[in-house]
Amino acid sequence: MPGDSHVEEQVFGGEHHSGRVARPLWTAIKRGLLGRCPRCGEGKLFYAFTKTVDTCSVCGEEIHHHRADDLPAYLVIVIVGHIVVGSFMAVEATTALSNLQHALIWVPLTIILALALLQPVKGAVIGLQWALYMHGFGDEKDEFESHS
């Protein structure tokens, strides 16, 4: 309508989207990367290599309901793949190594990088979920939608 000058601004995420207080996204991801509780940054996030604690021992935040699932493994594959393939191509372009030498360099490097990154990436995904109130971190129960 020509006379209607009222245009509502669209805002996504944070306080405007859900009515909840915005949680510090990058702080939560950083805390998760360091293996700490995304809420307080003090309690441990993991009790074993990739097994999360049920609740934070410092602030009591429930963590058991996170849904990191396969995302950390996919992200680690992408990260390690870019590092190893890029490095391999640079070495191959500048040196003349045999196939055995390449295998002795790149196979262990790939395994070490994947194992070193898996826990921090999983922690970062959990921090992301906490900051965005996903998968039970917003005090609501996850429900499945019926498509019937």
Side-chain angles (χ1 to χ4, degrees), residues 2-3 5 24-26 42 81 111 115 119 122 142 145:
S5 63
L25 178 66
W26 295 111
E42 297 294 323
I111 294 168
L115 290 174
Q119 188 184 58
K122 182 172 183 174
D142 279 347
E145 295 180 15

Side-chain angles (χ1 to χ4, degrees), residues 54-72:
D54 288 337
T55 58
C56 175
S57 61
V58 176
C59 68
E61 178 73 29
E62 291 186 7
I63 298 171
H64 63 88
H65 44 65
H66 76 84
R67 293 287 176 259
D69 299 331
D70 293 335
L71 180 60

